Amino acid sequence: MGSTFAIEQHLGDYLMPDTESRLRVAEGDGVTRIVFLDKNILEEASIQKIGDEISALIDTSSNPKVLINFENVEHLSSAALGTLITVNNKIRQKGGQLRLTNIDPQIYEVFAITKLNKLFQIHDDAESAVKTFK
Amino acid sequence: MGNASGNKIVISSDLGEAQKLQQKVLREVQLAGYCEDACFAIRLALDEALCNAVKHGNQLDPDRNVEVEYSIDEKLVRIAVTDEGEGFKPGQLDDPTHGNNLERPSGRGVMLIKAYMSEVKYNERGNRVEMVKYRDCKLPEGNSSPQG
């Protein structure tokens, strides 16, 4: 019993790294659901980290189906848009699919002005987005 | 309320310092009673202008500074961002919405500044941008085609 507890403790340490994630991730039914935790995606270092985290998730799948939820996002910069494009390119290279959901109207306007609403598949909510995965 | 007399702040080419400056200016804009849409627009445009100055203008050179001048009054917010770089020609930038440019990860900052601010003007050298947001400005919804 004592040795089992020690193993669990070790796994707990392994599962909770020191660096703080900026994403909440859930896997289910073949879909990777990602929620941004930051409300302001403006800072370069944060954007880089977000990109690295999502890339690492994509690497674990041969045919990634990824859904990114923007429900907490109030501000983002063009650098964040750039990271989304890079993520989209990576997913497509692996034959996968990406959906964006729960985008606030002000944020959606940024997508529309830059015409990125034509590049990404954007849905009102996660449930309707999931139905569109092939 | 407001700060019509103007402020001048100089920061190094550090994106963290740029973020702090952006937050300071935004707080003052909010205290002056500008609406949420205006604050969103100013935050976005200022963030883009500062990033451009630090990354592209000053090439992240720690020996180069960025100067920000701003004033806030009843009618408008005026912000000028100047870097110590060689400058650029905004009119010669590729259209980021055109063709394959859409899939490029960069090149949208200048376009967003133009879309969200009432007036945008670059000096001849291209190392200084002056941006104005009128309190009653409806951009980007009411935007007519921006001038180059």
Side-chain angles (χ1 to χ4, degrees):
Chain A
M1 189 81 91
S3 61
T4 302
F5 176 80
I7 290 170
E8 286 173 351
Q9 183 100 13
H10 175 70
L11 282 175
D13 289 341
Y14 179 77
L15 290 171
M16 289 189 292
D18 292 334
T19 54
E20 193 180 330
S21 173
R22 284 175 160 74
L23 309 173
R24 187 171 69 233
V25 181
E27 304 267 5
D29 300 324
V31 175
T32 301
R33 296 172 187 240
I34 298 170
V35 180
F36 289 124
L37 296 179
D38 292 335
K39 66 176 184 178
N40 298 324
I41 309 182
L42 297 166
E43 202 204 337
E44 189 86 0
S46 304
I47 292 168
Q48 180 67 47
K49 186 162 169 38
I50 285 168
D52 291 344
E53 283 194 63
I54 298 178
S55 288
L57 289 168
I58 294 167
D59 285 339
T60 64
S61 173
S62 58
N63 180 21
K65 293 178 186 172
V66 179
L67 188 152
I68 301 181
N69 187 324
F70 285 70
E71 64 186 19
N72 296 320
V73 179
E74 294 178 5
H75 285 275
L76 55 63
S77 67
S78 63
L81 295 175
T83 292
L84 285 171
I85 291 169
T86 301
V87 162
N88 189 47
N89 289 341
K90 184 164 184 153
I91 289 171
R92 278 166 46 185
Q93 279 166 12
K94 298 195 82 173
Q97 301 163 70
L98 173 65
R99 304 289 185 265
L100 309 184
T101 75
N102 300 83
I103 297 180
D104 170 271
Q106 274 181 331
I107 301 291
Y108 183 82
E109 197 148 49
V110 178
F111 281 87
I113 287 166
T114 55
K115 303 269 196 300
L116 289 176
N117 58 332
K118 308 293 183 192
L119 183 70
F120 295 108
Q121 288 198 41
I122 298 175
H123 297 266
D124 289 341
D125 54 71
E127 284 61 47
S128 54
V130 165
K131 290 175 186 170
T132 68
F133 282 120
K134 300 184 183 73
Chain B
M1 271 202 293
N3 184 4
S5 60
N7 277 312
K8 183 190 285 191
I9 298 176
V10 177
I11 61 170
S12 63
S13 297
D14 178 276
L15 291 168
E17 279 199 51
Q19 273 294 305
K20 287 179 192 167
L21 172 55
Q22 186 216 72
Q23 286 161 12
K24 172 181 163 53
V25 173
L26 251 301
R27 266 197 304 273
E28 294 183 29
V29 172
Q30 286 164 346
L31 283 172
Y34 278 76
C35 69
E36 198 206 331
D37 283 349
C39 291
F40 181 92
I42 292 166
R43 173 178 278 195
L44 180 61
L46 180 54
D47 182 72
E48 298 296 338
L50 287 170
C51 279
N52 283 347
V54 169
K55 285 171 62 179
H56 302 300
N58 285 353
Q59 303 284 295
L60 292 166
D61 182 346
D63 292 331
R64 288 180 171 179
N65 291 328
V66 176
E67 181 182 275
V68 177
E69 299 163 82
Y70 68 97
S71 62
I72 303 165
D73 65 30
E74 298 267 316
K75 290 185 182 170
L76 58 88
V77 175
R78 187 187 303 274
I79 304 172
V81 179
T82 308
D83 62 61
E84 295 180 358
E86 302 303 311
F88 76 110
K89 300 277 186 257
Q92 292 180 1
L93 294 176
D94 290 334
D95 181 350
T97 67
H98 184 69
N100 291 339
N101 293 339
L102 199 59
E103 297 187 34
R104 284 173 55 186
S106 60
R108 293 174 180 82
V110 169
M111 175 191 195
L112 287 171
I113 292 170
K114 200 185 291 184
Y116 278 87
M117 297 303 275
S118 312
E119 295 174 17
V120 181
K121 185 178 157 189
Y122 290 86
N123 66 347
E124 193 171 329
R125 177 170 154 185
N127 69 324
R128 174 183 170 91
V129 61
E130 293 178 29
M131 307 174 283
V132 172
K133 185 73 171 177
Y134 292 107
R135 188 182 282 269
D136 60 357
C137 174
K138 300 299 180 194
L139 286 176
E141 287 95 345
N143 189 19
S144 55
S145 183
Q147 300 305 307

